[in-house]
């Protein structure tokens, strides 16, 4: 009698498990065994949700009015503090592994200080977000109201997340800021490194494919479209470039059209310039510049051929 | 005895809350306090799920057959009607705030009328979706079956969502259509404004980064790839341009390769034209045109230098 | 007495349902009625989550150490086997519909064989993933640790998902591999067809908008950025091209900058070449090539005009 296939697996199972366990020992770079806990992905997403509810209270929680606002804010701040402290402590312990030893108690104390300091900065983040929503409404004829921008514009969502993550990064928290901006990246297609420096009134329309690198500097009232890259050269040099200014500087009131790629730490796009779509720009341009490629002239083809 | 850090927070908590509450009063553009409820995001996502189950019943619900189809459809239509009516009523009340007063009863009555009218249009939306799935299968050699297209192609999903949102927009519903297409944008990276006009047999392959603006017109059997922009000029003029034709017209059977950027309300791409990838096109081209940039000639470099 | 609007719907409901049911009969391409079950989307996502926990155990499950690793791996393999078998069986039955009949028992037996064979290949997939994480860390100055790459880099996530889906495709499983890579596409904006062939040490930075077509071949230690397309020509020929080599070949150690579009089955980018951003490349280039467009020269404009 031939054995059931399921029995065949039961015979093979131990070898498969053994091979996988051996493989875990052989590839320590992707195993993360016997080490400090990472921050919890789920907890960071919950922290972000609570933070949005403090930045834009009535958009996240219905039925808010001035009579119940204090209770809502007080309760959220209290809950956030505990969650932030716990995840920041994990990140501090994890990030310092292999370098100096941080005692668990010390990490927790520092995490508490950081959490308090971060919560104090939220009003300033709210102020910046208000300048961003004004810029989006002013800049987009398709926007029907300020509420529509807050309710549904992915660019606004990605910038607000960046502004939160940036403050945590400035306070010395590892791992969590990047995880936050990658969460917004997943939801919006907009990848802003938390290390970038971005002025008030920033508007990204549509946004999918935008990349803003770690050492980018962006001035005030800059407006850009989807697919814009503010990136770096020379990737193969890799870690040797860590910490150097590798990404461009964009001065105030610059407009950048879709899919423009602007690279290099010494590249400066001067104040009020306009960069056209699909441009590849690797040098500086003075204030008030217009930079665009020519549109190609059409050639007439036979209509049933879609070869290009 | 030094205080616990946690105690230190307990001391600081009231000031942090007070500063945040003050900040909410100071930034009314992002607070949304003391006003009509917005539609519920969760409810709109549930409405979309129910709508997909009416458009593509057997793909969403297993075990459907002709014997139980009536019951399934009847139950879904009944449930959808209630959900649609409630969210449309909220959107009508919210969207009209600050202009004429809509009594709550009147909003609910209009919302019911709109929900009924919208449900009546679903068979026509289904017909258009069938032309889209046929176009996708015919146009993509990697497609193994029609079922694979419906089951897993993001472009098909985004177009179906646009077709639903477009009908709601035509029926005068604020906020919800844009939220629906932004939900599809989040899931697919494809951003189609619900105001665009798009003919049958539309195929977007891959799709990430596609942007189709509010006043775009697209003919029949158009085929495009990811990263294509049908966009507008002159963003700094912003709200002054509201309602004007700002986005291109794409005639029947045009093919547009990846990352082409086509801008302007007077730009017309003539019937049967082919637009190459990475093109920046800001003027009209006649029917049967081929528009492409030249591929640059290679220069030989030392192999360990990845500078460009 | 005028009827309630709700009553009006109750009158209209039967016609709406009837019209929709008739529409389902009229559009068989999108109905999926009276046929074999599709694989379950939810089950495939759960399978992917279990697979990630075997590839990167300590990143998915906290508190893993060498003492409990065997139990964790053993339990996951056991659970995965059952889930894989059931979904693969559905895919085999579904994919063969309309061609030869596969008896349900035969499909289940083949699905078991495939599931066992697939699980045996996981150590090799883990080895490849380790080369990928090393390449990402080495290539990106913004990466602070290997753990940060595994924890938060979308490119790494998309490549790992591709590597899993590719093995299932090689084992002859329909529908599921594409669904898996489309799931990663949804989460990362990176669209890698499971049929592509990709060597070790592959790094995609940022990633949104990357498209790698079904018949692409990529060598070892290739590094690319977001928005890169490795695509095909002549979409209107569609199904006639099925199975032909339609996508490029990228040799070892090539670097491709953002938004480059490289098309065609005969196009070969030679070893060690560097392709600049926003390039449209439709012919082969020899090893050690540098291919880039010129950056356009700036023109000075009046500062309050953002026309391009």
């Amino acid at each position: 009698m031939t054995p059931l296939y399921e029995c065949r697996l039961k015979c093979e199972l131990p070898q498969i498990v053994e091979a996988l366990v051996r493989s875990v020992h052989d590839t320590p770079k992707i195993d993360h065994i016997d080490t400090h806990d990472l921050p919890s992905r789920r907890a960071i997403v919950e922290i972000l949700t609570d933070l949005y509810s403090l930045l834009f209270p009535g958009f996240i929680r219905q039925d808010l009015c001035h009579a119940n606002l204090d209770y809502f804010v007080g309760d959220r701040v209290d809950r956030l503090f505990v969650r932030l402290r716990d995840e920041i402590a994990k990140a501090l312990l994890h990030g310092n592994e292999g370098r100096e030893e941080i005692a668990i108690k010390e990490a927790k104390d520092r995490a508490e200080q950081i959490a308090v300091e971060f919560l104090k900065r939220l009003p300033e983040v709210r102020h910046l977000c208000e300048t961003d929503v004004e810029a989006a409404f002013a800049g987009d004829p398709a926007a029907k109201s300020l509420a529509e921008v807050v309710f549904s514009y992915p660019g606004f969502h990605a910038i607000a997340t960046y502004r939160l993550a940036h403050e945590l990064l400035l306070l010395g928290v590892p791992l969590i800021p990047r995880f936050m901006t990658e969460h917004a990246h997943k939801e919006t297609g907009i990848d802003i490194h938390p290390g970038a420096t971005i002025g008030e009134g920033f508007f990204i329309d549509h946004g999918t494919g935008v990349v803003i690198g770690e050492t980018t500097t962006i001035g005030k009232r800059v407006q850009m479209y989807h697919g814009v890259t503010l990136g770096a050269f020379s990737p193969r040099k890799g870690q040797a470039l860590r910490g150097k200014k590798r990404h461009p500087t964009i001065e105030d009131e610059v407009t950048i059209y879709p899919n423009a790629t602007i690279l290099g730490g010494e590249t400066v796009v001067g104040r009020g310039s306009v960069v056209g779509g699909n441009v590849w720009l690797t040098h500086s341009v003075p204030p008030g510049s217009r930079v665009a490629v020519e549109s190609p002239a059409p050639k007439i083809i036979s209509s049933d051929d879609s070869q290009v």
Side-chain angles (χ1 to χ4, degrees), chain A residues 1-298:
Chain A
M1 182 184 150
T2 41
L4 288 173
Y5 281 102
E6 182 127 13
C7 290
R8 195 205 290 176
L9 175 87
K10 298 292 183 213
C11 302
E12 305 218 33
L13 185 63
Q15 291 105 294
I16 288 173
V17 172
E18 196 191 332
L20 268 164
V21 169
R22 203 165 51 236
S23 153
V24 172
H25 294 301
D26 291 347
T27 54
K29 288 171 181 169
I30 57 173
D31 73 349
H32 208 268
I33 306 287
D34 265 334
T35 180
H36 286 299
D37 280 358
L38 284 160
S40 151
R41 292 161 193 271
R42 181 191 300 259
I44 300 174
V45 173
E46 288 169 353
I47 286 169
L48 277 174
T49 305
D50 277 354
L51 286 168
Y52 301 142
S53 79
L54 290 177
L55 293 186
F56 324 113
F59 287 94
I60 308 298
R61 157 77 174 259
Q62 303 278 22
D63 289 323
L64 273 190
C65 59
H66 291 98
N68 60 13
L69 183 65
D70 291 42
Y71 311 141
F72 175 74
V73 171
D75 178 65
R76 276 297 183 286
V77 167
D78 194 47
R79 182 164 96 183
L80 253 172
F81 168 72
V82 176
R83 286 178 167 171
L84 274 168
R85 178 197 63 193
D86 292 352
E87 299 310 314
I88 292 172
K90 288 187 213 165
L92 290 173
L93 280 166
H94 190 276
N96 278 276
E97 202 164 13
R99 298 204 287 271
E100 69 198 295
E101 167 93 358
I102 297 192
I104 289 176
K105 172 75 178 76
E106 187 190 330
K108 198 177 158 186
D109 285 353
R110 268 179 53 195
E112 282 186 353
Q113 288 175 283
I114 291 172
V116 168
E117 180 56 32
F118 175 72
L119 291 170
K120 286 184 183 168
R121 297 187 183 184
L122 289 182
E124 172 58 18
V125 173
R126 295 192 79 255
H127 166 70
L128 287 169
C129 288
E130 193 173 51
T131 68
D132 297 330
V133 75
E134 286 168 340
F137 181 69
D140 182 12
K144 302 293 180 281
S145 64
L146 290 161
E148 191 183 53
V149 173
V150 181
F151 190 58
S152 63
Y153 273 46
F156 180 72
H157 180 76
I159 294 168
T161 307
Y162 151 79
R163 296 208 185 277
L164 293 165
H166 182 62
E167 293 303 322
L168 278 178
L169 186 99
L170 292 180
L171 290 165
V173 178
L175 282 168
I176 295 174
R178 177 68 183 262
F179 184 84
M180 286 179 164
T181 57
E182 283 298 345
H183 183 70
H185 184 193
K186 185 196 288 190
E187 297 210 316
T188 67
I190 298 168
D191 181 356
I192 310 177
H193 195 286
T197 303
I198 302 180
E200 64 177 47
F202 185 39
F203 175 36
I204 302 174
D205 203 2
H206 312 300
T208 309
V210 162
V211 172
I212 298 174
E214 185 183 20
T215 64
T216 304
T217 306
I218 295 178
K220 296 176 181 173
R221 295 172 297 285
V222 166
Q223 177 166 332
M224 66 171 60
Y225 290 81
H226 51 287
V228 169
T229 298
L230 306 177
F233 280 121
S234 299
R236 297 267 169 193
K237 291 176 190 161
Q239 289 292 328
L241 295 168
R242 202 202 269 196
K244 293 200 183 144
K245 169 87 168 145
R246 309 182 305 279
H247 306 90
T249 296
I250 310 296
E251 294 184 352
D252 296 351
E253 286 159 16
V254 165
T255 301
I256 310 178
Y257 275 81
N259 302 318
T261 305
I262 306 176
L263 301 191
E266 297 181 9
T267 301
V268 178
V269 178
R271 181 188 174 102
S273 292
V274 178
V275 180
N278 297 68
V279 162
W280 162 252
L281 185 61
T282 59
H283 53 65
S284 295
V285 299
S289 296
R290 187 187 82 99
V291 187
V293 294
E294 293 296 311
S295 295

